[in-house]
Amino acid sequence: MATQVTSEKLGTLNVYVQGELHGAKAVVLTVHDLGCNYAQYDDFINHPSMAEIKARTAWIHVSIPGQEDQAPDLPVEKHENYKFPSMKLLGEELVCVLDQLKVAQVIGFGEGAGANIIARFAMAHPERVLGITLIHCTGTTAGFMESMKDKLISWKLDHIGMNPTAENYLVLHRFGSFDKCEDSIKQMKTAFKDHLRSGINPKNLRRFVIAFMERSNIVDSIGDIQCPVLLVSGKLASHAHTVNTLEMAMRKKFENKKNVEFLECDDVANVLEEKPEKLAESFQYHLQGIGLGKFLLMLLFVPSFTQIICGNHIRKYFI
């Protein structure tokens, strides 16, 4: 169900509700990555390994301004008194979504830029968040080389539109730099590029890229997060090193060291796309860890184990 939420500082936000909000055992709030929108989570939520969780939860998908499919151009900043929101403001204002939909608390879920926004929301409104799952989350500011790449990409998006340079940058951002030969990975990259060309407004995407490029550091204040955190990364992800930096900061600054768990998948760049069953498994343990697992039936997985680093130990969950 599509709806709209108004914020004094953000204007109108398009929100997509999946499931019955007030009949669900838990509500999950998602924010998407660069070059994506709420539809990026469809395949994961509808994956067979998510069936039991999906049946008992509702999902609120927040679309960053101007990132919907076929979205019209956002107002021009210089001439129409409009400024695209910062990552900090986006995170802080997500509380408007909860207030207007009359949802007391949520579980945050985000990937890439969306994960950074979810982390900021948890820092700004700890009383509204039960737990957060952060996939490929960056906590530091953009480095020099990243800034230079982003400036080039934003210029081309504004002056040329969607182009091979921008496409390749966004593919690198989501799928890493390793050229894997599996047909399934090639299909994922092709589908992502096709969606960029046919669905995403390049001028609006440029605004989101700039906001991400100009993000402030959250590592220094990461201890403000009070809820359990599931960090997720593929070892081949382009931002894997920054996820490790954020993990170390959390272990140092969290009062309760057990509040951070880290799922790291070998030979994977995009965990959400390449290993949805592993992410679903870890997400269920995350729900159980914050006291929501009692209403969920245990999922049926092929016998294996998932390795999750927790506190100073490595937990191996045998299925």
Side-chain angles (χ1 to χ4, degrees), residues 274-287:
E274 297 177 61
K275 293 291 182 182
E277 70 283 353
K278 288 295 182 186
L279 179 56
E281 183 182 0
S282 298
F283 186 53
Q284 171 147 342
Y285 287 121
H286 177 61
L287 295 178

Side-chain angles (χ1 to χ4, degrees), residues 75-93:
V76 179
E77 293 190 7
K78 293 182 180 179
H79 305 293
E80 300 184 42
N81 196 29
Y82 175 83
K83 182 174 176 59
F84 192 87
S86 66
M87 301 288 281
K88 182 175 184 290
L89 184 59
L90 285 165
E92 292 172 348
E93 286 297 292

Side-chain angles (χ1 to χ4, degrees), residues 14 29 64 79-80 122 249:
N14 289 315
L29 177 74
I64 299 301
H79 305 293
E80 300 184 42

Side-chain angles (χ1 to χ4, degrees), residues 36-182:
C36 305
N37 51 44
Y38 77 96
Q40 81 168 94
Y41 296 116
D42 280 350
D43 288 345
F44 173 65
I45 296 171
N46 292 318
H47 193 273
S49 60
M50 283 288 292
E52 295 294 342
I53 294 176
K54 179 184 175 183
R56 293 164 172 77
T57 53
W59 297 68
I60 301 173
H61 305 290
V62 177
S63 183
I64 299 301
Q67 309 308 306
E68 304 85 0
D69 283 355
Q70 316 302 331
D73 290 352
L74 289 169
V76 179
E77 293 190 7
K78 293 182 180 179
H79 305 293
E80 300 184 42
N81 196 29
Y82 175 83
K83 182 174 176 59
F84 192 87
S86 66
M87 301 288 281
K88 182 175 184 290
L89 184 59
L90 285 165
E92 292 172 348
E93 286 297 292
L94 285 180
V95 71
C96 295
V97 176
L98 275 65
D99 289 344
Q100 292 180 42
L101 295 181
K102 295 180 171 54
V103 175
Q105 293 179 304
V106 294
I107 300 145
F109 195 102
E111 182 190 19
N116 186 281
I117 293 168
I118 287 290
R120 293 173 190 273
F121 171 60
M123 292 163 60
H125 304 283
E127 74 284 356
R128 308 298 293 271
V129 186
L130 296 170
I132 54 176
T133 295
L134 307 177
I135 307 168
H136 302 138
C137 184
T138 56
T140 56
T141 57
F144 175 75
M145 290 305 295
E146 184 185 354
S147 294
M148 293 304 293
K149 288 180 183 177
D150 287 350
K151 286 178 181 177
L152 174 62
I153 298 306
S154 67
W155 185 90
K156 287 194 171 186
L157 286 171
D158 194 36
H159 290 79
I160 302 173
M162 196 59 66
N163 61 87
T165 303
E167 290 174 5
N168 291 334
Y169 167 80
L170 292 165
V171 168
L172 173 66
H173 175 80
R174 292 209 71 215
F175 295 95
S177 59
F178 293 85
D179 191 13
K180 300 175 77 173
C181 298
E182 290 92 335

